[in-house]
Amino acid sequence: MSDSSPASLPSTVMVAPSTLHPARPEVPSSKYYTLRYALAAALAPGESRIVLPAQSDDSEALFRGCRALGAQLRWEDEQERVLLIRGTGRPYQPGPVTINVGNAGAVARLLIGLGAMLPEVTIVTDHPQSLGKRPNRELLEALTALGVCCEGSGPEGCLPITMRGGAIHGGRVTVSGARSSQFLSALLFLSPLLPEGLEIDVVDGLKSQPLVRTTIEVLQEAGIQIEYDASLLHFLVPAGQHYQPREYHIPGDYPSAAALLAAYAASSDPASQLTLSRLRPGDEVGEYLFATFERMGADIQRYGDTIMLRGGRRLHGFEIDGDPITDCIPVVVAAACFAEGESRIYNVESLHYKESDRINDLCAELNKAGCRLEPQRDAIIIHGRPEGIEGGVSVDGHNDHRLLMALAIAGLRSQRGLTVTGAEHIAKSYPHFFEELRRCGADVQQSRG
Ligand SMILES: O=C(O)C1=C[C@@H](OP(=O)(O)O)[C@@H](O)[C@H](O)C1
Ligand SMILES: C=C(OP(=O)(O)O)C(=O)O
């Protein structure tokens, strides 16, 4: 449905020291809401309208998954980006089916959950070095307890995974939330369709809680009744429920906005001013992100759904729990590299299990560029260099769109620029990020070599 695949994007970008202009870029649509609304629509009997779904490799992977679950997708208006999804009421495929989930972790986990209702499904990835290494063991254990026959790869239940769900049942199940919230979200999407309903106990704590609340919000909008406690460790989803067809409007994407905000926050020029709209106020990730920029001393303001940030402020060291804004951490780290003093971002152990190891790989690449970071098991310490960094080296994105964004921000504040390789992986969430940065005044040269 889109042309943002890695093959069509440059694999190397050169980011030179730059001054950013006043700019009002369009923010991409939210990945979190696109995935959830499209899935809820695919499970509803009848037609739903999705207005402004995200355009990225991750959303393409989800659309493939929706079709594999039996839904039909077509554009009502491709120009205006209105997508129609006709769902079947429950996952339906008469025979075995294979779904390629690209490099999309959330898509993989949500589809593992729902695919467990099919007679036979194989979930594969064409990114064996990234998603192919991420664990699914916790989710497969829960599904096995619910009667699904699961065959994953290796002890961590990596992709490819084949499941046969002929004997699936509901009841009560336990799932660990220590490494990812996506295992719980996957069970929540599945639970209303199980003939006995499902009671879920979450053990070992729960990461990325704002995204579980996003799952609950979307399920409720789709007409699903859920009982849960405030700690999000116990859920009861009654049986015999149906997803309702709806019209869904996708808001702007905070983690994408975070990358542009971080680039302007790190800019030393007071004339550089960024204005971003379509960013829903009250969004848990959004509010926490806003407070984080305030905390580092950025000149940031909000007017309704519009956020303005002016560069040229001397940023200072700060300390935050990074878990509530897990996907924004790489770019927040990049901004902190140019703050005065030390910053500490803690409670981020789950960053080891993303597209790359976002603690060790991020620190290694930024240190290569001249930044000073200390990776810890569950934290990142940043010793800021307000004077900027040397650069003049090649750094790699480790198959990770968010590392690419962080490295580009560092390049802007380097003396000799940075060559960033693996740049095609930006397509996972924000295919036009480098072009957008260029439109903001950054000197970004792209090449396929
Ligand atoms: O549920 C979701 O949509 C997501 C949950 C988060 O993962 P974890 O729960 O593994 O932290 C996040 O990093 C990912 O980009 C999307
Ligand atoms: C971690 C991410 O995605 P996922 O887990 O869905 O692959 C992300 O988008 O930063």
Side-chain angles (χ1 to χ4, degrees), residues 2-208:
S2 83
D3 184 26
S4 61
S5 64
S8 65
L9 286 172
S11 54
T12 302
V13 294
M14 271 80 72
V15 184
S18 313
T19 306
L20 299 175
H21 302 151
R24 284 181 164 268
E26 226 176 82
V27 178
S29 288
S30 163
K31 165 183 125 158
Y32 305 148
Y33 282 96
T34 298
L35 303 189
R36 286 165 172 77
Y37 284 145
L39 209 50
L43 296 168
E47 193 162 84
S48 295
R49 280 179 101 230
I50 316 265
V51 180
L52 287 177
Q55 292 174 281
S56 65
D57 281 3
D58 274 18
S59 38
E60 289 299 317
L62 198 268
F63 298 155
R64 286 195 295 276
C66 289
R67 289 196 187 90
L69 297 179
Q72 292 172 358
L73 282 69
R74 69 183 168 91
W75 289 110
E76 177 186 285
D77 186 333
E78 193 164 1
Q79 207 75 27
E80 296 294 317
R81 299 200 50 75
V82 181
L83 182 66
L84 299 178
I85 301 187
R86 179 169 290 280
T88 48
R90 55 184 285 117
Y92 175 75
Q93 278 295 343
V97 64
T98 297
I99 313 174
N100 174 9
V101 290
N103 202 18
V107 173
R109 275 75 178 254
L110 292 169
L111 290 174
I112 291 170
L114 287 159
M117 293 195 79
L118 296 174
E120 183 177 320
V121 62
T122 301
I123 314 258
V124 300
T125 175
D126 50 11
H127 288 71
Q129 295 309 317
S130 185
L131 184 57
K133 291 185 170 166
R134 294 171 70 182
N136 302 294
R137 177 171 50 80
E138 295 88 327
L139 181 54
L140 298 189
E141 282 171 0
L143 292 171
T144 303
L146 295 175
V148 182
C149 171
C150 302
E151 290 165 25
S153 303
E156 287 293 351
C158 294
L159 299 180
I161 292 170
T162 296
M163 294 182 299
R164 292 176 192 85
I168 191 168
H169 56 79
R172 188 162 187 167
V173 78
T174 293
V175 70
S176 169
R179 290 199 288 189
S180 174
S181 68
Q182 295 173 4
F183 307 136
L184 171 61
S185 282
L187 293 173
L188 288 172
F189 263 94
L190 168 68
S191 51
L193 302 171
L194 295 173
E196 302 85 356
L198 194 62
E199 196 169 345
I200 307 172
D201 294 302
V202 182
V203 293
D204 313 324
L206 178 62
K207 295 299 180 197
S208 304

Side-chain angles (χ1 to χ4, degrees), residues 31-32 35 58 103-109 131 134 180 182 255 326-328 330 353-355 358 400-402 428-429:
K31 165 183 125 158
Y32 305 148
L35 303 189
D58 274 18
N103 202 18
V107 173
R109 275 75 178 254
L131 184 57
R134 294 171 70 182
S180 174
Q182 295 173 4
T326 181
D327 289 341
C328 307
Y353 310 109
K354 306 283 183 181
E355 290 84 322
R358 285 186 185 162
D400 190 339
H401 54 143
R402 311 248 183 242
K428 183 182 192 303
S429 68

Side-chain angles (χ1 to χ4, degrees), residues 18-21 264 266-273 310-313 413:
S18 313
T19 306
L20 299 175
H21 302 151
Y264 275 75
S267 161
S268 51
D269 181 0
S272 59
Q273 180 172 314
R310 200 191 306 266
R313 274 278 183 94
R413 288 294 316 274

